[in-house]
Amino acid sequence: MFIRTIEPAFYDTDALGHVNNTRLPAWFELSRNDLFRLFTPDLDPAKWRLIMARMEIDYRAELHYGSEIEIRTYLSRLGNSSFTVSQEARQNGRLTNLGHTVLVHFDHQAKRAVPIEGELREALEAHLQEEPAEA
């Protein structure tokens, strides 16, 4: 599991006084950088080996300005060439948001999915776990 801490800025809030729902996709993507480095260590877009096939976020509770947000990133499924990244946003110990993103190991020149094998597969397996019980 990868863990990042986000400190919401005032501009992350909306007229209702809580963190705007548009911030979660951006924070989840930022928090996937640790995972992206397993595929492309220097994050060079010219060497990119992934595509996104699906993204969904469950908004379970409001996030608020003034308290840090912990983003937990892990794999909940590992297939032949695709995998599901699950991400939790937690504030003050409470699960507030749960996201799932399906990524595909992809050869951009050949325009096809590529199997996940060898050391890369082992590195991903190290981050494979079940979703939280409260999910």
Side-chain angles (χ1 to χ4, degrees), residues 18-38:
H18 51 73
V19 172
N20 190 279
N21 65 323
T22 63
R23 300 307 298 143
L24 261 296
W27 291 342
F28 280 174
E29 181 176 354
L30 170 67
S31 298
R32 287 193 296 270
N33 275 350
D34 297 315
L35 182 64
F36 293 158
R37 280 189 173 87
L38 297 176

Side-chain angles (χ1 to χ4, degrees), residues 113-124:
V114 177
I116 301 168
E117 302 173 327
E119 290 180 16
L120 177 58
R121 184 168 202 85
E122 291 173 13
L124 292 172

Side-chain angles (χ1 to χ4, degrees), residues 6-14 16-20 23 27 62-69 91-92:
I6 306 290
E7 183 179 353
F10 184 75
Y11 68 81
D12 291 326
T13 62
D14 60 21
L16 298 174
H18 51 73
V19 172
N20 190 279
R23 300 307 298 143
W27 291 342
E62 295 174 345
L63 291 168
H64 300 279
Y65 175 75
S67 293
E68 291 180 338
I69 298 166
Q91 192 171 50
N92 300 317

Side-chain angles (χ1 to χ4, degrees), residues 53 77-84 102-105 113-116 121:
R77 184 191 62 82
L78 180 57
N80 182 47
S81 60
S82 68
F83 55 98
T84 302
V102 176
L103 297 175
V104 180
H105 189 213
V114 177
I116 301 168
R121 184 168 202 85

